[in-house]
Structure formats: structure tokens, C-alpha cells
Amino acid sequence: LQDIFFFLILILLTVAFFNILKPFIGDAFLALILVILFKRPFRWFRKKFKDNTKKAAAVTLVMVVVVIIIPVSLIGLIVANEVGQNYTELEKQWPSIKEELTEEKIKEQFDGVPYIGDYVQEIEWEDIEQKLDEVVTTLTEFAVQMLQNTFKGVVYFIIHVFILLFLLYFMFADGDFLIKRLQ
């Protein structure tokens, strides 16, 4: 009975521990990939620092930040900024765009075009106007939601980058020791 209770507690603690670490498994996997990608520069820096793995790991970490993390962050900021600007521009100009998309103006544009002109004359414009309003509303809601998620995600991004850099440093600095230990 005591053994069964011990194994139940052990299984429960293992599941709880896994659930605690689950959000960071991706960070560990990404750190492992970056260690593999930056293994050569790390070895080169280790030779330059006369086998001082701590200094070589720190310099390689700075290299990872400059080469990967800063550019990816800047691209994300640029994309978020563009989405925000396009959203505000569309919101400002939608009434004037809607004025230009009147039934008369569209029919006038396609009046002399064969086949298309006849098709344009048969369209029920009330449905199209309603659908356009729905599409624009959906797009603006999507853009607002995306911007909100982006700004909420900044905190999570910073936390995950910190954990990634922490793991990366120790994988570089103590990687050989960890591999020997695992073997």
C-alpha cells in the first residue's frame, strides 16, 4: 500500500512538473537549435579565449542577439506598425471609398465592356454593399485583435527570450560537461 501511494504521488508530481515546464519546452528546443547553428563560432571564440568557455559563451550569446533576436524583433515591430497604420488609414478612408463604390458609378464604368457590362447590370447591389460592410468590419476587428495580441505578446516574448538566452548560455558554457554527464 505504501509503494502504491508513493508511485501515485510520483506520477502526480511528474505530471505537475511537466505542466509547469510545458510552456518552456519550445524555448529549450529553440536553444538547442541555436547551439547547433552557432557551434562553429563558439568553438572559434573558445580558441581565441584560450579554452575559457564562459567568455566564449557570453560572446556567442551576444552574437546570437545581434544576428537573430534583434532583426526578428525589428521585423515583428515593423509588421505590427504597418498593420496599425493600414487599419487607421482604411478606417479614415472607408466612407470616401464607399461613396465611390455606388451602383451608378460602377455601372457607368462597365457600361461599354462586353459581357461584363451586362453582368454588372444584373447584380443586386444591396447584397454587395452589405457584404462589403461585413468584410470591412471583419477585417478591422481582425486588425484590432492582432494589434492587441501583439502588445500582449510583447511581455511573453521578453520572458521567453530571456529564458532562451539563459538556456543558450549554459548550453554553450557547460555543454561538454552536460553531454558527458548524460552519456
Side-chain angles (χ1 to χ4, degrees):
L1 186 65
Q2 191 175 5
D3 290 341
I4 293 172
F5 183 73
F6 172 74
F7 280 113
L8 284 175
I9 295 291
L10 182 65
I11 290 170
L12 187 70
L13 287 175
T14 303
V15 169
F17 185 68
F18 177 74
N19 284 332
I20 290 171
L21 291 181
K22 192 167 37 173
F24 308 111
I25 290 174
D27 298 337
F29 184 68
L30 185 58
L32 188 61
I33 291 171
L34 289 174
V35 164
I36 292 168
L37 289 175
F38 285 87
K39 187 180 259 184
R40 278 190 169 160
F42 172 71
R43 286 181 181 163
W44 187 82
F45 286 128
R46 199 164 78 179
K47 281 182 190 175
K48 289 293 179 191
F49 292 121
K50 297 181 172 89
D51 216 29
N52 187 339
T53 57
K54 307 290 186 207
K55 283 183 183 178
V59 172
T60 308
L61 201 63
V62 170
M63 185 177 176
V64 168
V65 168
V66 170
V67 171
I68 292 182
I69 294 175
I70 290 175
V72 168
S73 301
L74 288 176
I75 289 170
L77 287 173
I78 290 169
V79 168
N81 187 31
E82 283 295 316
V83 168
Q85 285 179 349
N86 288 335
Y87 164 71
T88 55
E89 196 66 32
L90 179 65
E91 191 176 52
K92 271 195 282 183
Q93 293 189 4
W94 180 242
S96 62
I97 292 171
K98 202 171 173 183
E99 283 178 17
E100 292 296 319
L101 292 175
T102 61
E103 181 179 348
E104 295 81 27
K105 289 185 179 182
I106 293 174
K107 284 182 178 179
E108 187 180 297
Q109 287 289 331
F110 291 103
D111 197 23
V113 180
Y115 301 111
I116 296 176
D118 296 335
Y119 180 71
V120 169
Q121 298 296 329
E122 297 172 6
I123 294 175
E124 294 185 29
W125 292 99
E126 296 82 29
D127 293 341
I128 290 181
E129 197 172 325
Q130 184 181 11
K131 292 289 183 193
L132 270 175
D133 282 340
E134 288 175 17
V135 166
V136 168
T137 302
T138 303
L139 285 174
T140 54
E141 287 173 0
F142 172 74
V144 168
Q145 186 69 30
M146 193 168 110
L147 283 172
Q148 288 174 345
N149 290 341
T150 300
F151 290 116
K152 284 179 190 174
V154 168
V155 174
Y156 294 114
F157 176 76
I158 291 170
I159 291 169
H160 285 284
V161 165
F162 176 76
I163 291 169
L164 171 77
L165 293 175
F166 182 81
L167 289 171
L168 197 59
Y169 174 80
F170 284 104
M171 283 182 180
F172 278 130
D174 299 328
D176 295 337
F177 174 74
L178 291 173
I179 289 173
K180 287 177 187 174
R181 226 16 222 217
L182 286 172
Q183 289 173 347

